[in-house]
Amino acid sequence: MSESGHTWRQAYKGHPAEAAQVRDWIRSRLDHDDAPLIANELFVAVLGSLTARRPDVIEMTISTAGRRIRITATGQHPLPVLQIHGPGALIISRLTESSGVSVDGFGLWAQLTAPAELEALQ
């Protein structure tokens, strides 16, 4: 199995309307049914970090290696506990192999596995 991969980054405005753009971008990069929903939940969690301090920009990152896919959403402020363990966390935990908070506390990540048939395409 090849462990080579790719990384893509895209910045989005810190506004709820951008969530649709995030889902479209993820869909254009990954052929995984759950990836757009997972990315949406990560984006919304970071977006809702604090109403008074909503991030101006949220950076979305996709990294692949072999069949592993990692989606990350990073904002400009530390995430409060509510955003880390909010309602979207349940969705993310059910659809991914693992997930967590970035080391600096400004972002969330989720790791999933691509279907086996996609490995041959890399």
Side-chain angles (χ1 to χ4, degrees):
M1 171 168 70
S2 171
E3 288 295 317
S4 65
H6 303 282
T7 298
W8 298 277
R9 286 185 178 83
Q10 183 73 33
Y12 293 91
K13 294 177 186 174
H15 191 275
E18 294 288 295
Q21 300 300 321
V22 168
R23 292 188 304 272
D24 289 344
W25 180 68
I26 295 289
R27 206 175 281 115
S28 75
R29 297 284 182 204
L30 298 174
D31 189 17
H32 191 290
D33 291 342
D34 297 330
L37 176 58
I38 293 164
N40 182 78
E41 293 303 322
L42 293 170
F43 179 83
V44 169
V46 172
L47 177 66
S49 60
L50 287 176
T51 306
R53 294 178 57 196
R54 178 178 286 159
D56 295 327
V57 174
I58 297 174
E59 183 176 274
M60 299 297 298
T61 305
I62 304 168
S63 298
T64 64
R67 291 181 51 208
R68 291 186 308 266
I69 300 168
R70 180 174 284 211
I71 303 170
T72 307
T74 306
Q76 299 162 306
H77 309 290
L79 299 172
V81 174
L82 179 60
Q83 295 315 115
I84 295 168
H85 301 289
L90 180 60
I91 294 170
I92 292 167
S93 70
R94 301 293 173 140
L95 296 177
T96 62
E97 291 181 3
S98 60
S99 60
V101 181
S102 62
V103 175
D104 63 7
F106 286 49
L108 299 172
W109 59 269
Q111 185 169 310
L112 53 152
T113 302
E117 60 270 13
L118 294 181
E119 182 180 5
L121 301 175
Q122 291 204 14

